[in-house]
Amino acid sequence: MKETKQMTGEFPDSNGAVSSEQAGWYAIDWQKAQRLTNRLQARIVKATREGRWGKVRSLQHLLTHSFSAKAQAVKRVTENEGRRTSGVDNQRWETPARKLQAIAQLRQRGYQPQPLKRIYIPKRNGKLRPLSIPTMKDRAMQALYAAALQPVAETLADPNSFGFRKQRATIDAIEYCFAWLSRKDSPQWVLEADIRSCFDRISHDWLIKNVPMDKQILTKWLKAGFMDKNLLHPSEEGTPQGGIISPILANLALDGLQSALATRFKKVHRSHGNVYPKVHLIRYADDFIITAAEQETMEEIRALVEEYLGERRLELSKEKTRITHISEGFDFLGRNLRKYNQKLIICPSQENNLAIRQKVRKLIKSNKQVSASDLIAYLNPVIRGWANFHQHTCSSRAFRRLDITVFNALWKWALRRHKRKGKKWIKRKYFCREGNRNWIFCGEPIGKKDGRVIQPKLFYASSVKIRRHVKIRTHANPFDVEWETYFEERWQKQMLQSLQGRKQLLFLWKEQKGKCPLCQLAITQETGWHNHHIEWRVHGGKDSSENRVLLHPECHRKVHSLHLKVDKPRHF
């Protein structure tokens, strides 16, 4: 009790955040709430590392019962992309008053989750992927308990696991592949593994026995069932795809495979005259590869993996699991990795290349009647996102091919709109020149600046520069205070790279020192941002950098709802 008072002394209530009786949703001090939650998570990491599981449980209980964590859980589920999708109760928390009521509803006593709403989304192979949608209340409860479980999962995670982990991405897994496969003495054989229906088949008994969280709450989630075509179906196995806590549960189930491999295939020094097995695991969620020096070792590895997964009622997919030599190449996380004359080349996979080309063709073909400016607004995020995803590998050729595909589709789009006009007239109307690049697809002029016409322009993938990605350090833990400086520096570099070519956003982000002027919390790719006009345009405000600030989406809604005045930061 003494520790609780010391940690929560800055807040008016005993749970460590602004009381709901003081003001409404917008009166919550998010900076203080996040600081308290981060402190508790850091203490959970320390207790987990020391093996003090009783202390872990007490800290998790404190966090899941605090007003700060509950408010952040509601904030998370009402700001993500799925906030507009309701569960079986058809409820959505859209207003500030409803969000404030939701905080008070996150009580553990008497809590009973409702069945999940089952929907199906198409996969690339033509099949349907089942997706289970919890209600808003169940999502918030999962987000609350995920905040207490994630520090434990990060501390216990396999060092070479990169999927569904904070501050880790697919490119980190690819860079790790490059580190182990690019050398002359690198392993030559790769086991491409894929777990069959990992989320749908994982054992409930194993999860309840081994996951370090409230067993009653976890059991209720796993046994909630789902509604499909107005019929209630029981859930006897698996954790639903669509739940906030499901990726953490799946990671906890698969963590330990790297230790099992290291115990079975120990490193052997060459001076002893033995063959070094070179067994390495690189995993992203339920997709992983395992390397080895000899093909015979691969059969032992496969048997060990099948035995390990069998304890969790999981199995490898026979169709997608295969043993490949590095000279033949393999696809992993949307990239193709292959050695040509002892040189490892990583580039976008053929399937990924075809998918983006089909997507832009379909997008252009389905928008035959829209203006050029609107079409550019639809295309630019797709092209920019795909190019940024592949900018750290050998993608220059793929970028040029995508640009050619986009140009051909746009030229047909323009010819169809003006069948009675000549090609020179169409070229002058829709294409312009900028620097050394000709035939840039442009929209309608929207004004002039310094004597130059301002008009929307298409983003070309080939304009993205290839940059080498610096892999995250193996044992870096975002919940550990010892790594706080490291992650701050890494976050700043990532934001600077993501805003390159977007001069106004980059200027504003630097001017604000990367923080939201309203809540003083960091603006990152995860939080997102809105470009706010200090003096609203309806009141005559200009569209220049002097009249703009970057705000968090929720802070932006707060400014407009309460008609607040946001000032420019005084520092630069």
Side-chain angles (χ1 to χ4, degrees):
M1 193 69 175
K2 183 178 180 180
E3 294 178 356
T4 305
K5 290 181 179 179
Q6 289 176 349
M7 293 187 61
T8 61
E10 301 178 6
F11 298 88
D13 69 330
S14 59
N15 285 326
V18 177
S19 173
S20 59
E21 287 82 6
Q22 282 189 339
W25 170 260
Y26 289 133
I28 298 175
D29 192 329
W30 296 110
Q31 188 178 17
K32 291 184 178 180
Q34 183 173 338
R35 186 165 62 244
L36 175 72
T37 304
N38 291 346
R39 287 178 186 173
L40 289 174
Q41 289 175 330
R43 293 179 65 192
I44 291 173
V45 169
K46 183 179 179 181
T48 303
R49 190 180 292 117
E50 296 172 352
R52 302 169 60 190
W53 294 107
K55 187 70 173 178
V56 170
R57 287 191 293 271
S58 64
L59 289 171
Q60 287 180 327
H61 178 85
L62 178 63
L63 192 148
T64 54
H65 287 72
S66 71
F67 184 87
S68 300
K70 291 180 180 181
Q72 287 184 307
V74 174
K75 186 173 184 283
R76 177 179 177 181
V77 300
T78 55
E79 288 185 3
N80 60 21
E81 296 180 357
R83 65 184 182 275
R84 296 186 180 90
T85 305
S86 61
V88 294
D89 59 355
N90 296 322
Q91 291 187 9
R92 293 182 297 179
W93 299 341
E94 295 179 333
T95 64
R98 187 65 187 89
K99 295 175 186 178
L100 192 64
Q101 294 174 6
I103 298 176
Q105 293 176 358
L106 299 185
R107 294 187 296 267
Q108 287 76 6
R109 180 176 296 181
Y111 169 68
Q112 183 62 43
Q114 293 184 269
L116 307 166
K117 182 170 71 173
R118 176 63 59 90
I119 63 174
Y120 297 89
I121 57 176
K123 299 170 66 175
R124 291 182 180 177
N125 57 9
K127 297 181 180 180
L128 296 176
R129 181 192 302 275
L131 193 66
S132 301
I133 309 298
T135 63
M136 292 296 293
K137 181 179 179 179
D138 293 336
R139 279 180 241 176
M141 286 292 288
Q142 289 190 21
L144 177 62
Y145 278 84
L149 180 61
Q150 202 166 7
V152 180
E154 281 290 334
T155 308
L156 302 177
D158 284 346
N160 301 336
S161 167
F162 300 95
F164 300 123
R165 293 182 63 189
K166 199 172 181 181
Q167 301 295 333
R168 285 166 169 81
T170 57
I171 188 58
D172 291 303
I174 296 299
E175 282 295 322
Y176 197 83
C177 292
F178 181 83
W180 283 114
L181 297 173
S182 61
R183 300 192 299 266
K184 291 184 179 179
D185 61 343
S186 295
Q188 301 297 308
W189 293 94
V190 177
L191 172 66
E192 303 174 63
D194 182 85
I195 302 174
R196 177 179 296 173
S197 303
C198 177
F199 283 87
D200 297 331
R201 298 191 177 186
I202 193 168
S203 170
H204 283 181
D205 294 336
W206 191 95
L207 289 174
I208 295 171
K209 182 179 179 181
N210 294 277
V211 174
M213 65 168 289
D214 189 307
K215 307 297 182 183
Q216 293 183 351
I217 297 291
L218 178 59
T219 303
K220 289 178 180 180
W221 283 336
L222 296 177
K223 302 297 183 181
F226 62 92
M227 296 292 295
D228 188 11
K229 297 179 181 179
N230 296 324
L231 293 177
L232 177 62
H233 299 267
S235 51
E236 301 297 335
E237 59 181 2
T239 176
Q241 297 189 52
I244 291 177
I245 207 168
S246 296
I248 305 176
L249 299 178
N251 268 339
L252 285 170
L254 298 177
D255 285 332
L257 179 57
Q258 184 172 340
S259 301
L261 290 169
T263 303
R264 173 64 180 83
F265 303 95
K266 296 182 178 179
K267 293 182 180 180
V268 180
H269 295 289
R270 295 187 176 200
S271 59
H272 295 171
N274 297 317
V275 178
Y276 177 28
K278 301 177 182 179
V279 176
H280 304 290
L281 168 72
I282 301 100
R283 180 170 67 86
Y284 189 91
D286 57 342
D287 293 332
F288 60 91
I289 64 169
I290 303 176
T291 65
E294 297 180 342
Q295 187 175 8
E296 292 75 14
T297 310
M298 276 300 175
E299 298 300 332
E300 299 181 42
I301 293 174
R302 184 166 186 164
L304 187 149
V305 172
E306 290 177 345
E307 180 183 356
Y308 181 87
L309 296 177
E311 299 175 0
R312 295 147 178 81
R313 295 184 188 174
L314 297 173
E315 60 180 358
L316 294 175
S317 171
K318 296 181 179 180
E319 299 80 11
K320 298 180 180 179
T321 302
R322 51 185 174 269
I323 299 173
T324 310
H325 194 270
I326 191 62
S327 60
E328 298 176 5
F330 63 95
D331 291 346
F332 185 53
L333 302 179
R335 284 90 168 180
N336 179 265
L337 297 87
R338 184 177 178 182
K339 267 192 174 180
Y340 299 86
N341 297 325
Q342 296 301 314
K343 184 176 182 180
L344 181 67
I345 302 296
I346 305 177
C347 59
S349 66
Q350 185 177 2
E351 182 181 0
N352 200 272
N353 274 321
L354 293 175
I356 186 62
R357 292 181 203 167
Q358 292 174 358
K359 186 173 183 177
V360 295
R361 287 195 194 103
K362 183 178 180 181
L363 190 60
I364 295 171
K365 193 173 182 180
S366 60
N367 289 279
K368 297 177 181 178
Q369 307 300 328
V370 302
S371 65
S373 297
D374 290 341
L375 185 58
I376 290 173
Y378 298 152
L379 287 172
N380 277 357
V382 176
I383 299 172
R384 188 191 300 272
W386 187 84
N388 289 339
F389 182 77
H390 289 288
Q391 68 172 331
H392 304 291
T393 56
C394 304
S395 308
S396 298
R397 183 180 297 180
F399 289 170
R400 290 194 296 268
R401 289 178 177 174
L402 176 60
D403 288 345
I404 293 172
T405 299
V406 174
F407 171 78
N408 291 335
L410 289 173
W411 184 244
K412 292 180 181 178
W413 176 88
L415 291 176
R416 181 189 176 278
R417 292 169 69 93
H418 306 281
K419 296 181 179 179
R420 298 184 181 181
K421 296 291 185 179
K423 293 182 179 180
K424 290 185 178 180
W425 184 93
I426 295 175
K427 196 265 183 187
R428 289 194 301 269
K429 180 174 178 60
Y430 290 110
F431 296 89
C432 62
R433 182 181 182 88
E434 187 178 69
N436 297 326
R437 185 186 288 273
N438 202 357
W439 291 84
I440 297 179
F441 188 71
C442 301
E444 296 76 13
I446 57 177
K448 286 187 178 183
K449 185 177 183 180
D450 299 331
R452 295 186 302 173
V453 177
I454 302 176
Q455 56 188 147
K457 295 181 178 66
L458 182 71
F459 180 84
Y460 286 89
S462 57
S463 64
V464 176
K465 296 181 180 180
I466 305 300
R467 293 186 177 91
R468 183 67 184 271
H469 177 76
V470 179
K471 186 184 80 71
I472 190 171
R473 293 184 186 177
T474 303
H475 297 286
N477 189 335
F479 298 100
D480 193 342
V481 292
E482 295 179 1
W483 292 95
E484 186 173 353
T485 303
Y486 168 77
F487 279 108
E488 285 181 355
E489 294 175 356
R490 186 176 178 85
W491 152 68
Q492 290 177 358
K493 291 179 181 178
Q494 290 176 346
M495 283 297 294
L496 287 173
Q497 289 183 3
S498 66
L499 295 176
Q500 289 296 329
R502 306 163 78 177
K503 295 182 180 179
Q504 188 183 65
L505 291 178
L506 182 59
F507 174 81
L508 294 175
W509 187 81
K510 287 183 177 180
E511 186 182 41
Q512 300 172 198
K513 291 190 175 182
K515 294 184 178 180
C516 173
L518 199 66
C519 66
Q520 294 301 314
L521 296 177
I523 296 177
T524 65
Q525 291 176 304
E526 294 181 356
T527 62
W529 60 83
H530 284 177
N531 206 336
H532 171 68
H533 292 78
I534 298 175
E535 185 178 356
W536 297 4
R537 283 180 292 181
V538 295
H539 299 154
K542 297 181 179 179
D543 200 26
S544 59
S545 299
E546 292 77 13
N547 192 44
R548 287 175 178 265
V549 289
L550 298 181
L551 301 173
H552 288 132
E554 182 64 28
C555 293
H556 194 206
R557 287 189 283 270
K558 177 179 179 178
V559 168
H560 282 272
S561 297
L562 303 181
H563 299 280
L564 301 178
K565 179 69 174 179
V566 182
D567 295 326
K568 272 284 194 181
R570 297 180 181 179
H571 52 260
F572 180 72

